[in-house]
Amino acid sequence: MDYNLKFLPINNAHAIVECIIFVEFLPVFSHAVRQKLVGLAPRLKDELPKSEPKNVVEHTIIITPEGPKTHVREELSGIELQRFRTDGNLEWMLRTTENIISVHCLDYTRWENVWDTAKKYLEAAFEQIQESGSFVNAIGIKYIDRFVYQDDVKNYKVSDLFSENTELLANKLFNSGPLWHSHIGWFEKIDGIDFPCLNQVNIDATYADFSGLKKPVTTIEHTAILNADEYKRDISSFIEYEDKNDENSKFDKMIFILHNINKEVLISLLNVDLKQKINISNANDT
């Protein structure tokens, strides 16, 4: 244990509980396209062996002379492809819905490794929606980080986790106990990107049970979203390479930017000790 730290990341080397990379499309996928996405199951069976098609239930109320009648229709919405660790906990998931394709990593190691795997799953899904008629509405990344308080609760201080100089928390919270919530959001312009980036930071400070012990836990959810809705571009325009010698597509570069924005948010939020603990000092670190 790091006895000089009152808060510790949920994992030894980092605080990441889950990393989600997602693309939202409009209009929603047709039934035929959803069936193509469900067809990913055999292709990715070795990597994501558990598959579960998902349906959405639609209720329609029709007014007739005899009174209202309810019509229920069940429609295929997408699929979840999953891999579990030996302890039974979810490790990776590819999820498709009526208009979203997302990859979820719940066993984070290093960004390069995570992105290599996530990219493989996303590209497999993108192949199924070529010429689908749905354009990219948004591209995003979401990180969920968690820190656990180790000391006596009577000594709890928000400043043992967060910098008192951060612009992302209200000053009032630094006089709070172990139960509080913060939500902030803003748009920013990213150099080299046509689309505005929406940042959303939700922080919950609550209690959780650890082997029968009740401990204060702080969860940071940061989502960075590039809003592309005005441009109506097919996914093919994002995954193309601008130069034949280029190692990264436009989509790769956008995800790298969003990944670094997440680190910038954590750098702004955390105090010096916690930044050293999880080894982030600038947005170019991995």
Side-chain angles (χ1 to χ4, degrees), residues 135-199:
F135 60 86
V136 174
N137 190 58
I139 296 170
I141 191 167
K142 179 177 182 177
Y143 275 93
I144 302 175
D145 292 85
R146 188 162 293 144
F147 295 86
V148 184
Y149 189 70
Q150 305 296 323
D151 200 8
D152 192 313
V153 70
K154 67 182 180 182
N155 299 322
Y156 183 97
K157 291 191 299 184
V158 174
S159 58
D160 284 329
L161 176 59
F162 295 116
S163 169
E164 294 185 79
N165 296 320
T166 182
E167 297 179 344
L168 303 182
L169 289 176
N171 289 336
K172 182 178 179 61
L173 294 177
F174 288 91
N175 297 318
S176 299
L179 294 173
W180 54 272
H181 173 76
S182 174
H183 183 195
I184 186 172
W186 69 96
F187 280 95
E188 62 180 294
K189 182 70 176 68
I190 308 300
D191 290 341
I193 302 293
D194 295 334
F195 323 130
C197 180
L198 171 63
N199 284 274

XYZ file of all heavy atoms in Angstrom, residues 135-199:
539
model
N -24.911 7.894 -42.189
C -23.686 8.686 -42.114
C -23.236 8.819 -40.657
O -23.995 8.574 -39.719
C -23.886 10.069 -42.745
C -24.956 10.902 -42.095
C -24.677 11.688 -40.986
C -26.251 10.924 -42.607
C -25.650 12.472 -40.389
C -27.252 11.697 -42.018
C -26.940 12.472 -40.896
N -21.989 9.188 -40.484
C -21.422 9.327 -39.137
C -21.969 10.585 -38.486
O -21.810 11.695 -39.008
C -19.883 9.379 -39.194
C -19.306 9.673 -37.807
C -19.329 8.064 -39.737
N -22.605 10.422 -37.339
C -23.147 11.551 -36.589
C -22.199 12.010 -35.490
O -22.109 13.201 -35.189
C -24.494 11.169 -35.973
C -25.219 12.353 -35.387
O -25.499 13.320 -36.096
N -25.509 12.309 -34.089
N -21.486 11.069 -34.883
C -20.571 11.413 -33.796
C -19.537 10.311 -33.615
O -19.818 9.134 -33.860
C -21.329 11.635 -32.488
N -18.338 10.716 -33.192
C -17.258 9.788 -32.855
C -16.809 10.134 -31.443
O -16.554 11.310 -31.141
C -16.072 9.916 -33.833
C -16.509 9.523 -35.250
C -14.880 9.085 -33.374
C -15.476 9.846 -36.313
N -16.710 9.130 -30.577
C -16.397 9.459 -29.197
C -15.593 8.409 -28.469
O -15.444 7.273 -28.916
N -15.065 8.829 -27.331
C -14.359 7.931 -26.424
C -14.788 8.270 -25.004
O -15.000 9.449 -24.674
C -12.832 8.054 -26.601
C -12.095 6.930 -25.867
C -12.316 9.405 -26.157
C -10.622 6.823 -26.265
N -14.972 7.238 -24.200
C -15.383 7.436 -22.812
C -14.481 6.621 -21.909
O -14.239 5.432 -22.159
C -16.843 7.003 -22.608
C -17.335 7.149 -21.168
C -18.807 6.775 -21.065
C -19.335 6.964 -19.646
N -20.777 6.669 -19.558
N -13.973 7.271 -20.873
C -13.175 6.592 -19.862
C -13.903 6.654 -18.520
O -14.458 7.702 -18.159
C -11.814 7.263 -19.700
C -10.762 6.806 -20.675
C -10.551 7.492 -21.876
C -9.962 5.700 -20.416
C -9.579 7.092 -22.772
C -8.989 5.288 -21.299
C -8.793 5.989 -22.473
O -7.827 5.579 -23.359
N -13.869 5.548 -17.817
C -14.376 5.504 -16.450
C -13.194 5.161 -15.544
O -12.592 4.082 -15.679
C -15.497 4.462 -16.286
C -16.656 4.772 -17.240
C -15.989 4.425 -14.832
C -17.756 3.720 -17.243
N -12.828 6.094 -14.665
C -11.727 5.911 -13.722
C -12.278 5.874 -12.301
O -13.251 6.592 -11.991
C -10.715 7.052 -13.835
C -9.963 7.034 -15.158
O -10.489 7.581 -16.157
O -8.865 6.486 -15.182
N -11.641 5.080 -11.446
C -12.155 4.942 -10.076
C -10.999 4.948 -9.075
O -9.971 4.306 -9.278
C -12.971 3.658 -9.949
C -13.710 3.504 -8.628
C -14.807 2.453 -8.769
N -15.845 2.923 -9.678
C -16.519 2.141 -10.527
N -16.250 0.855 -10.587
N -17.456 2.643 -11.306
N -11.213 5.694 -7.975
C -10.238 5.786 -6.895
C -10.921 5.432 -5.580
O -12.058 5.837 -5.333
C -9.650 7.204 -6.815
C -8.850 7.599 -8.029
C -9.481 8.152 -9.140
C -7.479 7.414 -8.063
C -8.744 8.514 -10.260
C -6.736 7.771 -9.182
C -7.375 8.316 -10.279
N -10.203 4.691 -4.741
C -10.749 4.205 -3.472
C -10.020 4.873 -2.315
O -8.776 4.899 -2.277
C -10.617 2.672 -3.359
C -11.269 2.176 -2.071
C -11.255 1.988 -4.572
N -10.786 5.406 -1.368
C -10.215 6.062 -0.197
C -9.765 5.023 0.824
O -10.503 4.087 1.132
C -11.252 7.004 0.423
C -10.701 7.892 1.510
C -9.820 8.916 1.200
C -11.056 7.694 2.847
C -9.310 9.746 2.194
C -10.546 8.515 3.843
C -9.671 9.531 3.505
O -9.160 10.346 4.490
N -8.531 5.190 1.359
C -7.934 4.168 2.205
C -7.915 4.516 3.695
O -7.707 3.632 4.532
C -6.481 3.920 1.749
C -6.338 3.569 0.285
C -7.017 2.258 -0.073
O -7.011 1.299 0.697
N -7.630 2.218 -1.249
N -8.097 5.763 4.043
C -7.909 6.202 5.423
C -9.242 6.240 6.169
O -10.303 5.955 5.604
C -7.257 7.591 5.419
C -6.577 7.936 6.724
O -6.472 7.041 7.590
O -6.163 9.096 6.888
N -9.183 6.623 7.435
C -10.386 6.814 8.247
C -11.232 7.919 7.618
O -10.709 8.982 7.245
C -9.992 7.197 9.673
C -11.167 7.126 10.641
O -12.246 7.649 10.299
O -11.000 6.565 11.736
N -12.520 7.677 7.498
C -13.395 8.620 6.810
C -13.419 9.991 7.471
O -13.699 11.001 6.821
C -14.825 8.029 6.692
C -15.505 7.982 8.045
C -15.651 8.804 5.679
N -13.111 10.048 8.771
C -13.115 11.348 9.455
C -11.998 12.261 8.940
O -12.032 13.473 9.126
C -12.987 11.156 10.961
C -11.657 10.613 11.428
C -11.647 10.403 12.927
C -10.300 9.861 13.406
N -10.306 9.602 14.871
N -11.006 11.661 8.256
C -9.906 12.438 7.696
C -10.109 12.773 6.217
O -9.218 13.333 5.577
C -8.595 11.663 7.839
C -8.240 11.375 9.280
O -8.463 12.211 10.158
N -7.691 10.195 9.547
N -11.278 12.440 5.682
C -11.546 12.585 4.249
C -11.410 14.039 3.807
O -11.988 14.954 4.404
C -12.958 12.089 3.939
C -13.332 12.129 2.471
C -13.228 10.992 1.685
C -13.809 13.299 1.878
C -13.582 11.014 0.346
C -14.162 13.336 0.545
C -14.044 12.188 -0.218
O -14.400 12.227 -1.547
N -10.636 14.228 2.726
C -10.517 15.534 2.082
C -10.498 15.337 0.564
O -9.757 14.479 0.063
C -9.235 16.251 2.515
C -9.197 16.703 3.964
C -8.024 17.631 4.236
C -6.699 16.948 3.965
N -5.544 17.827 4.314
N -11.297 16.120 -0.116
C -11.337 16.040 -1.574
C -9.963 16.357 -2.167
O -9.552 15.784 -3.184
C -12.416 16.984 -2.140
C -12.376 17.026 -3.662
C -13.796 16.562 -1.661
N -9.218 17.230 -1.524
C -7.900 17.633 -2.025
C -6.873 16.505 -1.966
O -5.791 16.626 -2.547
C -7.379 18.844 -1.241
O -7.302 18.547 0.143
N -7.184 15.411 -1.264
C -6.287 14.255 -1.291
C -6.371 13.504 -2.613
O -5.555 12.609 -2.876
C -6.623 13.293 -0.141
C -6.121 13.801 1.198
O -5.084 14.496 1.211
O -6.770 13.521 2.223
N -7.338 13.867 -3.447
C -7.482 13.277 -4.774
C -7.353 14.321 -5.875
O -6.626 14.123 -6.847
C -8.833 12.563 -4.892
C -9.192 11.965 -6.243
C -8.155 10.932 -6.700
C -10.584 11.329 -6.199
N -8.039 15.435 -5.710
C -8.107 16.439 -6.771
C -7.313 17.689 -6.432
O -7.206 18.074 -5.264
C -9.560 16.821 -7.042
C -10.397 15.700 -7.592
C -11.462 15.189 -6.868
C -10.102 15.132 -8.817
C -12.226 14.156 -7.363
C -10.858 14.097 -9.328
C -11.923 13.609 -8.602
N -6.794 18.326 -7.469
C -6.071 19.587 -7.309
C -7.045 20.703 -6.959
O -8.092 20.844 -7.590
C -5.336 19.936 -8.603
O -4.852 21.261 -8.565
N -6.690 21.496 -5.968
C -7.546 22.629 -5.595
C -7.495 23.738 -6.638
O -8.295 24.675 -6.590
C -7.135 23.162 -4.225
C -7.387 22.170 -3.103
C -7.093 22.751 -1.728
O -7.948 23.506 -1.219
O -6.015 22.446 -1.199
N -6.576 23.627 -7.593
C -6.454 24.629 -8.656
C -7.213 24.245 -9.924
O -7.204 24.990 -10.894
C -4.984 24.849 -9.007
C -4.186 25.419 -7.860
O -4.674 26.292 -7.136
N -2.961 24.936 -7.671
N -7.856 23.073 -9.919
C -8.549 22.645 -11.129
C -9.734 23.557 -11.436
O -10.429 24.027 -10.525
C -9.033 21.191 -11.009
O -9.666 20.817 -12.246
C -10.015 21.009 -9.862
N -9.955 23.787 -12.720
C -11.101 24.575 -13.159
C -12.334 23.712 -13.375
O -13.404 24.222 -13.712
C -10.763 25.307 -14.457
C -9.632 26.314 -14.340
C -9.316 26.987 -15.663
O -9.752 26.453 -16.719
O -8.663 28.033 -15.659
N -12.209 22.396 -13.177
C -13.292 21.480 -13.495
C -14.125 21.085 -12.278
O -15.065 20.296 -12.406
C -12.730 20.214 -14.161
C -11.914 20.456 -15.437
C -11.456 19.137 -16.030
C -12.720 21.256 -16.452
N -13.809 21.634 -11.106
C -14.594 21.384 -9.895
C -14.913 22.699 -9.201
O -14.066 23.599 -9.150
C -13.835 20.471 -8.928
C -13.677 18.999 -9.301
C -12.818 18.294 -8.262
C -15.030 18.317 -9.428
N -16.114 22.786 -8.658
C -16.488 23.970 -7.890
C -15.713 24.001 -6.572
O -15.481 22.958 -5.944
C -17.986 23.958 -7.611
N -15.310 25.180 -6.135
C -14.552 25.317 -4.886
C -15.300 24.743 -3.693
O -14.695 24.210 -2.756
C -14.237 26.792 -4.628
C -13.200 27.334 -5.601
O -12.405 26.571 -6.147
N -13.217 28.631 -5.830
N -16.618 24.825 -3.735
C -17.429 24.353 -2.610
C -17.198 22.871 -2.313
O -17.284 22.425 -1.166
C -18.908 24.599 -2.919
C -19.868 24.192 -1.801
C -21.295 24.522 -2.181
C -22.256 24.092 -1.079
N -21.998 24.785 0.193
N -16.886 22.099 -3.345
C -16.722 20.661 -3.163
C -15.531 20.316 -2.279
O -15.497 19.250 -1.656
C -16.572 19.974 -4.520
C -17.797 20.011 -5.430
C -17.488 19.367 -6.772
C -18.976 19.310 -4.772
N -14.551 21.199 -2.191
C -13.368 20.909 -1.390
C -13.643 21.020 0.104
O -12.795 20.681 0.926
C -12.207 21.812 -1.815
C -11.636 21.427 -3.150
C -12.124 21.995 -4.315
C -10.645 20.459 -3.237
C -11.613 21.619 -5.549
C -10.133 20.081 -4.467
C -10.620 20.652 -5.633
N -14.835 21.459 0.442
C -15.265 21.457 1.843
C -16.328 20.388 2.088
O -16.979 20.378 3.130
C -15.823 22.834 2.227
C -14.770 23.920 2.142
O -13.634 23.709 2.554
N -15.141 25.071 1.588
N -16.490 19.488 1.111
C -17.518 18.450 1.220
C -16.960 17.213 1.899
O -15.744 17.000 1.969
C -18.030 18.065 -0.171
O -18.618 19.174 -0.820
N -17.869 16.388 2.354
C -17.495 15.084 2.878
C -17.371 14.080 1.749
O -17.205 14.450 0.586
N -17.502 12.782 2.055
C -17.290 11.736 1.046
C -18.470 11.495 0.115
O -18.394 10.613 -0.737
C -17.020 10.495 1.900
C -17.699 10.763 3.190
C -17.622 12.233 3.418
N -19.543 12.262 0.243
C -20.697 12.107 -0.641
C -20.925 13.411 -1.405
O -21.284 14.434 -0.813
C -21.955 11.744 0.167
C -21.961 10.383 0.860
C -23.196 10.257 1.744
C -21.926 9.256 -0.163
N -20.720 13.361 -2.736
C -20.969 14.558 -3.545
C -21.022 14.164 -5.026
O -20.712 13.043 -5.393
C -19.916 15.635 -3.309
C -18.489 15.209 -3.482
C -17.674 14.661 -2.534
C -17.691 15.300 -4.677
N -16.429 14.393 -3.053
C -16.402 14.784 -4.360
C -17.938 15.763 -5.961
C -15.381 14.717 -5.303
C -16.919 15.709 -6.907
C -15.658 15.190 -6.558
N -21.432 15.091 -5.848
C -21.538 14.858 -7.291
C -21.188 16.139 -8.028
O -21.501 17.245 -7.580
C -22.956 14.428 -7.679
C -23.171 14.341 -9.154
N -22.697 13.299 -9.919
C -23.783 15.190 -10.025
C -23.012 13.495 -11.190
N -23.667 14.643 -11.277
N -20.530 15.976 -9.178
C -20.195 17.117 -10.033
C -20.426 16.735 -11.487
O -20.109 15.619 -11.906
C -18.730 17.521 -9.832
O -18.351 18.534 -10.760
N -20.984 17.671 -12.242
C -21.226 17.454 -13.674
C -20.887 18.746 -14.397
O -21.413 19.812 -14.065
C -22.688 17.080 -13.927
C -22.992 16.784 -15.369
N -24.267 16.720 -15.871
C -22.169 16.534 -16.417
C -24.222 16.456 -17.167
N -22.964 16.347 -17.521
N -19.993 18.649 -15.375
C -19.608 19.826 -16.143
C -19.437 19.421 -17.601
O -19.065 18.283 -17.903
C -18.294 20.448 -15.593
C -17.973 21.766 -16.301
C -17.133 19.476 -15.690
C -16.803 22.519 -15.665
N -19.731 20.339 -18.528
C -19.579 20.048 -19.945
C -19.205 21.297 -20.710
O -19.568 22.405 -20.318
N -18.473 21.120 -21.807
C -18.063 22.259 -22.615
C -17.685 21.792 -24.016
O -17.326 20.639 -24.224
C -16.887 22.995 -21.967
C -15.595 22.238 -21.968
C -14.567 22.323 -22.871
C -15.177 21.246 -21.021
N -13.558 21.457 -22.560
C -13.894 20.785 -21.420
C -15.761 20.698 -19.871
C -13.205 19.807 -20.711
C -15.073 19.722 -19.170
C -13.809 19.292 -19.591
N -17.757 22.714 -24.964
C -17.295 22.472 -26.324
C -15.923 23.117 -26.502
O -15.640 24.170 -25.925
C -18.261 23.078 -27.350
C -19.484 22.242 -27.607
C -20.667 22.499 -26.921
C -19.454 21.209 -28.531
C -21.805 21.730 -27.153
C -20.586 20.444 -28.780
C -21.758 20.708 -28.085
N -15.087 22.485 -27.319
C -13.808 23.089 -27.662
C -13.472 22.787 -29.106
O -13.913 21.780 -29.669
C -12.685 22.605 -26.739
C -12.396 21.126 -26.779
C -11.261 20.749 -25.839
O -10.111 21.178 -26.103
O -11.519 20.044 -24.844
N -12.698 23.669 -29.715
C -12.255 23.487 -31.103
C -10.914 22.788 -31.083
O -10.009 23.173 -30.355
C -12.140 24.846 -31.805
C -11.731 24.757 -33.259
C -12.841 24.169 -34.105
C -12.464 24.160 -35.586
N -11.365 23.228 -35.922
N -10.783 21.750 -31.893
C -9.553 20.967 -31.962
C -8.827 21.302 -33.257
O -9.417 21.241 -34.348
C -9.850 19.456 -31.919
C -10.739 19.118 -30.712
C -8.555 18.665 -31.882
C -10.147 19.456 -29.381
N -7.562 21.652 -33.171
C -6.764 21.979 -34.360
C -6.745 20.790 -35.320
O -6.481 19.649 -34.919
C -5.330 22.328 -33.960
C -5.235 23.664 -33.235
O -6.176 24.461 -33.365
O -4.213 23.891 -32.549
N -7.020 21.068 -36.584
C -6.968 20.037 -37.608
C -8.225 19.205 -37.732
O -8.298 18.324 -38.587
N -9.228 19.455 -36.887
C -10.488 18.706 -36.917
C -11.621 19.668 -37.241
O -11.743 20.733 -36.632
C -10.765 18.007 -35.570
C -9.629 17.056 -35.211
C -12.096 17.265 -35.611
C -9.495 15.869 -36.123
N -12.461 19.307 -38.210
C -13.564 20.178 -38.608
C -14.662 20.250 -37.560
O -15.417 21.223 -37.503
C -14.183 19.676 -39.923
C -13.219 19.759 -41.088
O -12.309 20.612 -41.047
O -13.378 18.971 -42.035
N -14.793 19.216 -36.743
C -15.948 19.088 -35.871
C -15.648 19.628 -34.467
O -14.536 19.460 -33.951
C -16.372 17.622 -35.725
C -16.213 16.818 -36.979
C -15.556 15.607 -36.959
C -16.718 17.287 -38.184
C -15.396 14.864 -38.116
C -16.561 16.549 -39.340
C -15.903 15.339 -39.311
N -16.629 20.251 -33.821
C -16.441 20.659 -32.424
C -16.411 19.438 -31.521
O -17.018 18.404 -31.809
C -17.675 21.522 -32.139
C -18.718 21.017 -33.102
C -17.967 20.610 -34.337
N -15.684 19.542 -30.427
C -15.560 18.438 -29.476
C -16.331 18.781 -28.199
O -16.052 19.795 -27.561
C -14.102 18.168 -29.144
S -13.858 16.809 -27.972
N -17.286 17.945 -27.866
C -18.038 18.098 -26.616
C -17.385 17.255 -25.535
O -17.177 16.055 -25.708
C -19.492 17.651 -26.812
C -20.350 17.557 -25.539
C -20.499 18.926 -24.871
C -21.716 16.950 -25.846
N -17.045 17.894 -24.422
C -16.513 17.198 -23.251
C -17.580 17.153 -22.166
O -18.219 18.169 -21.875
C -15.277 17.912 -22.703
C -14.047 17.672 -23.529
O -13.343 16.687 -23.345
N -13.783 18.582 -24.463
